[in-house]
Short mmCIF file of all heavy atoms in Angstrom, two decimals:
data_model
loop_
_atom_site.label_atom_id
_atom_site.label_comp_id
_atom_site.label_asym_id
_atom_site.label_seq_id
_atom_site.Cartn_x
_atom_site.Cartn_y
_atom_site.Cartn_z
N TRP W 191 4.27 -17.87 -16.20
CA TRP W 191 4.88 -17.74 -14.88
C TRP W 191 6.39 -17.65 -15.04
O TRP W 191 6.96 -18.42 -15.80
CB TRP W 191 4.50 -18.96 -14.04
CG TRP W 191 4.62 -18.74 -12.58
CD1 TRP W 191 5.55 -19.28 -11.75
CD2 TRP W 191 3.77 -17.95 -11.76
NE1 TRP W 191 5.35 -18.85 -10.48
CE2 TRP W 191 4.26 -18.03 -10.45
CE3 TRP W 191 2.65 -17.16 -12.02
CZ2 TRP W 191 3.66 -17.35 -9.39
CZ3 TRP W 191 2.06 -16.49 -10.96
CH2 TRP W 191 2.56 -16.60 -9.66
N PRO W 192 7.03 -16.73 -14.33
CA PRO W 192 8.50 -16.66 -14.47
C PRO W 192 9.18 -17.80 -13.71
O PRO W 192 8.74 -18.16 -12.62
CB PRO W 192 8.85 -15.31 -13.81
CG PRO W 192 7.73 -15.04 -12.89
CD PRO W 192 6.51 -15.70 -13.44
N VAL W 193 10.20 -18.38 -14.35
CA VAL W 193 10.93 -19.48 -13.71
C VAL W 193 12.39 -19.07 -13.61
O VAL W 193 12.98 -18.63 -14.60
CB VAL W 193 10.80 -20.76 -14.55
CG1 VAL W 193 11.61 -21.87 -13.93
CG2 VAL W 193 9.36 -21.15 -14.69
N PHE W 194 12.97 -19.16 -12.42
CA PHE W 194 14.38 -18.81 -12.25
C PHE W 194 15.24 -20.02 -12.57
O PHE W 194 15.09 -21.07 -11.96
CB PHE W 194 14.64 -18.34 -10.81
CG PHE W 194 14.11 -16.96 -10.56
CD1 PHE W 194 12.79 -16.77 -10.17
CD2 PHE W 194 14.92 -15.86 -10.73
CE1 PHE W 194 12.29 -15.50 -9.95
CE2 PHE W 194 14.44 -14.58 -10.52
CZ PHE W 194 13.12 -14.40 -10.12
N MET W 195 16.13 -19.87 -13.56
CA MET W 195 17.03 -20.95 -13.94
C MET W 195 18.26 -20.92 -13.03
O MET W 195 18.44 -19.99 -12.25
CB MET W 195 17.48 -20.73 -15.39
CG MET W 195 16.34 -20.81 -16.36
SD MET W 195 15.67 -22.46 -16.28
CE MET W 195 14.10 -22.21 -17.01
N SER W 196 19.14 -21.93 -13.21
CA SER W 196 20.30 -21.95 -12.30
C SER W 196 21.25 -20.79 -12.58
O SER W 196 21.95 -20.34 -11.69
CB SER W 196 21.03 -23.29 -12.38
OG SER W 196 21.12 -23.70 -13.71
N SER W 197 21.26 -20.25 -13.82
CA SER W 197 22.13 -19.11 -14.09
C SER W 197 21.59 -17.83 -13.42
O SER W 197 22.28 -16.81 -13.40
CB SER W 197 22.27 -18.88 -15.59
OG SER W 197 21.01 -18.62 -16.16
N ALA W 198 20.38 -17.91 -12.87
CA ALA W 198 19.82 -16.74 -12.20
C ALA W 198 20.67 -16.36 -11.00
O ALA W 198 20.72 -15.20 -10.62
CB ALA W 198 18.39 -17.02 -11.76
N ARG W 199 21.38 -17.37 -10.43
CA ARG W 199 22.20 -17.08 -9.27
C ARG W 199 23.24 -15.99 -9.61
O ARG W 199 23.42 -15.04 -8.88
CB ARG W 199 22.89 -18.35 -8.79
CG ARG W 199 22.48 -18.71 -7.37
CD ARG W 199 23.01 -20.06 -6.99
NE ARG W 199 22.20 -21.13 -7.57
CZ ARG W 199 22.64 -22.37 -7.76
NH1 ARG W 199 23.88 -22.70 -7.46
NH2 ARG W 199 21.84 -23.29 -8.25
N LEU W 200 23.91 -16.19 -10.75
CA LEU W 200 24.92 -15.21 -11.18
C LEU W 200 24.25 -13.85 -11.44
O LEU W 200 24.75 -12.80 -11.03
CB LEU W 200 25.60 -15.72 -12.45
CG LEU W 200 26.72 -14.84 -13.00
CD1 LEU W 200 27.83 -14.68 -11.96
CD2 LEU W 200 27.28 -15.43 -14.28
N TRP W 201 23.10 -13.92 -12.10
CA TRP W 201 22.41 -12.67 -12.44
C TRP W 201 21.96 -11.93 -11.19
O TRP W 201 22.10 -10.71 -11.10
CB TRP W 201 21.21 -12.96 -13.34
CG TRP W 201 20.50 -11.72 -13.77
CD1 TRP W 201 21.03 -10.69 -14.47
CD2 TRP W 201 19.15 -11.37 -13.49
NE1 TRP W 201 20.10 -9.70 -14.66
CE2 TRP W 201 18.93 -10.10 -14.07
CE3 TRP W 201 18.10 -12.00 -12.82
CZ2 TRP W 201 17.70 -9.47 -13.99
CZ3 TRP W 201 16.88 -11.36 -12.75
CH2 TRP W 201 16.69 -10.10 -13.33
N ILE W 202 21.45 -12.68 -10.21
CA ILE W 202 21.01 -12.03 -8.97
C ILE W 202 22.21 -11.37 -8.29
O ILE W 202 22.10 -10.28 -7.73
CB ILE W 202 20.30 -13.05 -8.05
CG1 ILE W 202 18.93 -13.37 -8.64
CG2 ILE W 202 20.14 -12.51 -6.63
CD1 ILE W 202 18.22 -14.55 -8.01
N GLY W 203 23.39 -12.01 -8.42
CA GLY W 203 24.62 -11.39 -7.93
C GLY W 203 24.83 -10.03 -8.57
O GLY W 203 25.12 -9.04 -7.89
N PHE W 204 24.63 -9.99 -9.89
CA PHE W 204 24.78 -8.72 -10.60
C PHE W 204 23.75 -7.69 -10.13
O PHE W 204 24.06 -6.51 -10.00
CB PHE W 204 24.63 -8.93 -12.12
CG PHE W 204 25.93 -9.20 -12.82
CD1 PHE W 204 26.37 -10.49 -13.02
CD2 PHE W 204 26.72 -8.15 -13.26
CE1 PHE W 204 27.58 -10.75 -13.66
CE2 PHE W 204 27.93 -8.40 -13.90
CZ PHE W 204 28.35 -9.70 -14.09
N VAL W 205 22.54 -8.17 -9.90
CA VAL W 205 21.48 -7.24 -9.45
C VAL W 205 21.84 -6.65 -8.09
O VAL W 205 21.69 -5.45 -7.86
CB VAL W 205 20.11 -7.95 -9.40
CG1 VAL W 205 19.08 -7.07 -8.72
CG2 VAL W 205 19.66 -8.30 -10.81
N VAL W 206 22.37 -7.51 -7.20
CA VAL W 206 22.79 -7.01 -5.89
C VAL W 206 23.88 -5.97 -6.07
O VAL W 206 23.86 -4.89 -5.46
CB VAL W 206 23.27 -8.18 -5.00
CG1 VAL W 206 23.92 -7.65 -3.72
CG2 VAL W 206 22.11 -9.10 -4.67
N LEU W 207 24.84 -6.27 -6.96
CA LEU W 207 25.92 -5.32 -7.26
C LEU W 207 25.33 -4.01 -7.78
O LEU W 207 25.74 -2.92 -7.39
CB LEU W 207 26.87 -5.92 -8.31
CG LEU W 207 28.04 -5.05 -8.72
CD1 LEU W 207 29.07 -5.00 -7.60
CD2 LEU W 207 28.68 -5.55 -10.01
#
Side-chain angles (χ1 to χ4, degrees):
Chain W
W191 201 251
V193 177
F194 286 86
M195 296 297 162
S196 43
S197 60
R199 241 172 281 159
L200 183 60
W201 182 60
I202 288 169
F204 269 94
V205 170
V206 170
L207 180 73

